Amino acid sequence: MSWQDYVDQQLIATGKVEEGFIVGKDDGSVWACTPEFMPRMYPAKIAQEDGTDMEQTVNEASNLVAIMRNPSEYRSATGGQGLRINGEKYMVLRDLEDTLYAGKTSGGACLVVTNQCIICGTWNKEKGMGSGNCNVAVEALGDWLKESGF
């Protein structure tokens, strides 16, 4: 099975995950993704501690790697850029040892880190999806990959 098959069959085909990707744990390189859904690099205005905005380059891949190494330190790990996935900012709702749950206005994301990769799956409440079902699908794939040495 190819990495793309894992995204297509184990995440998207469940109907519980809207979009997803698998990236390398060490460098954030994209192993597989739904079309046009992947970590990006772009300029963005980032709020500073003094209340001003500063233009910075957001590198979502390197930020994901840093965040998943230590989820509880995601703010400092990203220089205040926070968790951004495919150009959208998410609020971290809960972090566990190898899993992070995030939300935004109309949905959210579940991220799981395995021995070699980071899996991301999103859900969209406007499409009738919920966090619980998305989390189950992403975590199940993560558990299987961990048990398989990945």
Side-chain angles (χ1 to χ4, degrees):
M1 190 181 277
S2 74
W3 290 109
Q4 190 61 49
D5 290 337
Y6 288 115
V7 171
D8 295 342
Q9 296 173 20
Q10 303 299 313
L11 298 179
I12 306 307
T14 66
K16 301 172 184 177
V17 177
E18 179 180 35
E19 296 179 295
F21 60 69
I22 300 173
V23 298
K25 174 183 169 182
D26 294 328
D27 61 4
S29 60
V30 177
W31 293 6
C33 63
T34 53
E36 300 303 314
F37 184 77
M38 64 190 77
R40 305 205 176 266
M41 189 179 325
Y42 51 90
K45 291 188 185 241
I46 307 299
Q48 305 299 300
E49 288 187 26
D50 64 4
T52 62
D53 288 337
M54 176 187 276
E55 182 101 0
Q56 294 180 355
T57 299
V58 173
N59 183 333
E60 292 178 350
S62 64
N63 286 354
L64 278 173
V65 169
I67 289 167
M68 296 311 287
R69 280 190 182 135
N70 191 356
S72 64
E73 298 295 324
Y74 71 93
R75 286 185 183 90
S76 60
T78 63
Q81 294 177 355
L83 175 62
R84 294 168 185 259
I85 303 169
N86 197 46
E88 293 191 47
K89 190 165 184 181
Y90 286 74
M91 177 179 13
V92 174
L93 303 174
R94 184 174 178 206
D95 63 83
L96 303 173
E97 183 177 330
D98 61 358
T99 306
L100 189 136
Y101 306 101
K104 61 179 188 166
T105 305
S106 62
C110 176
L111 295 103
V112 172
V113 65
T114 72
N115 302 323
Q116 297 181 27
C117 64
I118 300 168
I119 306 162
C120 174
T122 65
W123 59 276
N124 184 334
K125 70 180 176 182
E126 294 172 359
K127 293 185 178 179
M129 298 172 172
S131 61
N133 288 332
C134 176
N135 297 348
V136 167
V138 175
E139 291 170 11
L141 177 56
D143 289 344
W144 189 85
L145 289 174
K146 286 179 210 173
E147 290 171 10
S148 300
F150 290 102

